[in-house]
Amino acid sequence: MSLSPKRKLLRLIPVFLLFVCIAGFSGCINEEPQKLPKNYTNSLGMEFVLIPAGEFRMGSPSYEGKMFDFDSPVHNVTIREPFYMSKYEVTQKEWTEVMGYNPSYFKGGDLPVDSVLWFEAQKFVLKLNLKEGSNTYRLPTEAEWEYACRAGTTTRFSFGDENADLIEYGWSGYDANETSHPVGQKLPNPWGLYDMHGNVWELTQDSWHSNYEGAPSDGSVWSEGNSTIFVGRGGSWLDGPNLCTSTFRGSEEEDKRVTCLGFRLVKNS
């Protein structure tokens, strides 16, 4: 018995739908992972830059003529996951909007917040996460900070080896006139981050260690050891070029207000 054209069509429909589902499923398997946006701006207007995963050599070799061995030995670090880092140091305007007060010695909305205690920075992070309905904001680890500062370079600074060139990229003892300056006025590093060299020291999540013996190789926070002194990076308006390099490390006491100390944030991707 032959089927009518209508019944033939009805019999073919399930086969056709099965083909469509298989083809669609195959397309999903072959589809590339969704790419993260290169930039992110939160509700406060804080701008973040995507920092790619990768590997780098952390620390400073002896031939750079260092005064100290705080940033030795040089060791390999692997950053396995991309993350966002704030394009600028946290400003007084941003701090005040979240915290409701301003601890800074130098006053100005676009100036980096200064004189911040480590636990106050942690409160800022907590309140910002609550405000944003998130749990992804935090201080950078020391390894993340150096990786982002270097931006793929292996020189003393992210722009090269010459101290004289610092004047184009950061506020230091060369030209800051003993004060901080509005963020973002100098040139950025190769990954679009401003004031990584100079302006204010930047707090990290890590406890202070006198060298890198036993440091994590995966870029995670190094919290064992001293729980009252933390690592600061980048140098400041007060310092000479040798303290504003990609590798120089400063120790910051948790209960001491310093007029040349601030911070920037990272955000998990």
Side-chain angles (χ1 to χ4, degrees):
M1 181 178 67
S2 61
L3 296 174
S4 66
K6 183 177 181 180
R7 289 187 176 183
K8 286 182 179 179
L9 179 61
L10 291 173
R11 181 172 289 182
L12 287 173
I13 286 175
V15 177
F16 174 75
L17 291 176
L18 179 62
F19 174 78
V20 170
C21 290
I22 292 173
F25 183 69
S26 175
C28 290
I29 292 176
N30 294 328
E31 185 178 353
E32 293 184 2
Q34 186 176 4
K35 291 184 178 179
L36 295 168
K38 293 183 178 180
N39 298 281
Y40 173 81
T41 303
N42 68 13
S43 65
L44 270 68
M46 299 176 71
E47 299 179 59
F48 291 78
V49 176
L50 183 64
I51 307 300
E55 299 179 1
F56 77 111
R57 297 274 288 167
M58 184 173 180
S60 175
S62 59
Y63 62 76
E64 287 189 349
K66 304 178 297 178
M67 295 185 295
F68 308 102
D69 290 325
F70 298 154
D71 49 9
S72 299
V74 177
H75 57 290
N76 293 323
V77 174
T78 300
I79 306 294
R80 300 191 181 280
E81 297 292 334
F83 61 92
Y84 288 95
M85 177 169 272
S86 53
K87 184 182 292 188
Y88 309 107
E89 295 159 333
V90 174
T91 66
Q92 294 176 31
K93 178 182 178 181
E94 293 161 349
W95 173 276
T96 304
E97 185 168 346
V98 172
M99 300 294 285
Y101 70 96
N102 185 0
S104 303
Y105 177 80
F106 301 106
K107 301 296 185 182
D110 292 329
L111 294 177
V113 65
D114 67 61
S115 307
V116 175
L117 300 180
W118 189 84
F119 77 86
E120 289 179 316
Q122 299 297 330
K123 285 186 178 180
F124 178 89
V125 167
L126 177 61
K127 288 191 173 185
L128 179 61
N129 274 314
L130 289 173
K131 183 178 179 64
E132 294 289 300
S134 166
N135 64 352
T136 59
Y137 294 97
R138 56 184 174 83
L139 289 180
T141 70
E142 185 180 7
E144 288 171 336
W145 191 97
E146 183 169 325
Y147 177 67
C149 180
R150 284 185 177 277
T153 65
T154 58
T155 46
R156 294 177 64 239
F157 304 93
S158 63
F159 51 82
D161 289 315
E162 297 301 320
N163 288 345
D165 293 334
L166 176 59
I167 197 169
E168 300 292 332
Y169 291 85
W171 297 103
S172 70
Y174 267 175
D175 62 342
N177 295 320
E178 299 184 348
T179 183
S180 63
H181 290 261
V183 300
Q185 290 191 334
K186 299 276 187 163
L187 295 175
N189 79 352
W191 285 352
L193 301 172
Y194 291 81
D195 298 303
M196 295 299 284
H197 306 287
N199 213 7
V200 291
W201 284 93
E202 299 179 13
L203 282 168
T204 71
Q205 190 70 28
D206 294 44
S207 296
W208 172 256
H209 298 79
S210 60
N211 57 52
Y212 287 138
E213 293 289 349
S217 61
D218 60 357
S220 60
V221 61
W222 196 9
S223 57
E224 297 83 4
N226 198 317
S227 60
T228 62
I229 302 178
F230 297 89
V231 178
R233 286 303 208 106
S236 76
W237 53 265
L238 180 65
D239 304 303
N242 288 340
L243 275 64
C244 298
T245 65
S246 299
T247 62
F248 191 86
R249 309 168 67 228
S251 57
E252 311 296 346
E253 298 178 28
E254 68 171 358
D255 58 352
K256 184 177 181 180
R257 294 195 184 276
V258 181
T259 59
C260 57
L261 177 63
F263 67 104
R264 76 177 67 221
L265 294 180
V266 298
K267 180 182 183 298
N268 295 340
S269 60

